[in-house]
Amino acid sequence: MTDGCDLWDRTQEAGRGVVAAFDRVLGAPSDRTRVAAAPELLRAVRAFLTLRLVAVTGDRRRAFPLSVPPAGRETVAALWAEVFWAARTQAEDDDSGVLEATDASIRGLLALEPADLARRESVRAWRERLAAVEETFAGLEVQAQAALDVRREAF
């Protein structure tokens, strides 16, 4: 099995783990039990973000010339900083705010404490923010794939 397939499999498994963890927290009968279940959810989210960013960063490194130094380690913050600034460099006139909103969501997800997930409404809101982050990652991957396809056609 290739590294890419292994990363894909691990990412898919991590994504299912995040969905299951969100479901467990949302299904908890009280604020106290949601807080007790939250550490598992937060670990799952961080692991998922790391795997997704390893994939996104790899795709973008292959597709685009490095405009910023590569991340020195595989942490969410380091990988996201590389992707964020490289994407900003490639689309300086993009004023959509998508990267900035994704940045705020990632920072928020990383800063969450179990007590922040006591209320179902909060858990739902963070699940929606994570889904928006995933949409941004998917868009960045599609952009990288399109750039690779253009380069392949040129050869």
Side-chain angles (χ1 to χ4, degrees):
M1 185 180 296
T2 66
D3 289 333
C5 289
D6 181 51
L7 179 58
W8 172 256
D9 291 343
R10 290 175 39 215
T11 301
Q12 294 302 302
E13 184 178 330
R16 288 188 295 273
V18 167
V19 168
F22 266 114
D23 288 346
R24 279 190 295 280
V25 173
L26 283 169
S30 69
D31 291 356
R32 174 177 266 162
T33 55
R34 275 187 289 285
V35 170
E40 178 189 349
L41 170 62
L42 296 175
R43 279 190 296 278
V45 166
R46 289 180 179 119
F48 175 73
L49 285 172
T50 301
L51 287 169
R52 284 298 288 125
L53 279 164
V54 166
V56 171
T57 304
D59 288 346
R60 294 190 64 83
R61 286 176 185 165
R62 284 186 294 281
F64 301 108
L66 287 179
S67 56
V68 297
R73 48 193 182 171
E74 291 184 353
T75 65
V76 172
L79 292 168
W80 173 241
E82 178 183 336
V83 170
F84 177 89
W85 289 111
R88 290 294 297 161
T89 300
Q90 291 161 344
E92 292 177 15
D93 60 346
D94 178 12
D95 61 355
S96 69
V98 170
L99 288 173
E100 290 76 7
T102 300
D103 184 58
S105 291
I106 290 172
R107 290 174 188 270
L109 286 160
L110 294 176
L112 280 175
E113 296 289 333
D116 298 329
L117 299 170
R119 305 303 244 169
R120 280 192 178 98
E121 300 80 31
S122 178
V123 176
R124 286 186 190 108
W126 282 107
R127 180 173 59 183
E128 289 172 11
R129 288 182 76 175
L130 180 60
V133 167
E134 173 57 23
E135 286 179 26
T136 301
F137 290 170
L140 290 166
E141 285 177 316
V142 166
Q143 183 184 47
Q145 186 59 49
L148 281 173
D149 291 346
V150 166
R151 284 204 342 237
R152 284 185 191 120
E153 288 177 15
F155 291 113

